[in-house]
Amino acid sequence: QVQFVESGGGLVQPGGSLRLSCSVSGITVRLAPMAWYRQAPGKQRELVARIGNSGTTDSAESVKGRLTVSRDNAKNTVYLQMNSLKPEDTAVYYCNVPTPGTGSGSRSWGQGTQVTVSS
């Protein structure tokens, strides 16, 4: 059974930084594409960044250059480094295995971690 445990969220001022962690069990992150998603109040969940099996990464235009995904194979953990945060980054952040083609999460969701960007 695949499980995701997200952590590292919190309240941060605009321009600040956070690093989110996603501890994964049931799959080996170095063998599977992984992605970070977010869901803001009243909005649909969206994919913000992904990392492929080979380690290549990409991100949504809205976060490009500010949010970066990485992984630690030894810890079977995926990270999201968030810099230059903006109020519009406020959301609950989740990780999951992206479905080929659609990019939607393919497994059951974890509890997520809340990120609030506010002064």
Side-chain angles (χ1 to χ4, degrees):
Q1 182 177 353
V2 179
Q3 288 188 321
F4 308 107
V5 179
E6 299 92 348
S7 62
L11 173 63
V12 62
Q13 292 187 342
S17 298
L18 283 174
R19 190 176 81 152
L20 307 184
S21 300
C22 174
S23 179
V24 182
S25 58
I27 58 172
T28 301
V29 298
R30 66 180 175 86
L31 300 179
M34 294 294 301
W36 281 94
Y37 302 78
R38 68 185 180 188
Q39 187 167 22
K43 295 188 177 181
Q44 288 192 333
R45 191 171 291 164
E46 61 173 346
L47 188 154
V48 294
R50 76 178 89 190
I51 182 166
N53 306 44
S54 62
T56 56
T57 62
D58 65 40
S59 57
E61 284 299 319
S62 60
V63 306
K64 202 172 291 287
R66 301 188 300 113
L67 274 58
T68 306
V69 59
S70 63
R71 69 185 182 213
D72 184 326
N73 295 336
K75 295 182 178 179
N76 214 45
T77 297
V78 182
Y79 301 99
L80 184 67
Q81 179 65 43
M82 311 174 73
N83 299 326
S84 302
L85 283 163
K86 304 176 180 181
E88 50 264 43
D89 296 318
T90 295
V92 180
Y93 285 73
Y94 305 85
C95 64
N96 208 316
V97 179
T99 301
T102 66
S104 59
S106 64
R107 310 301 178 100
S108 296
W109 297 96
Q111 84 287 350
T113 186
Q114 174 72 49
V115 172
T116 302
V117 184
S118 175
S119 55

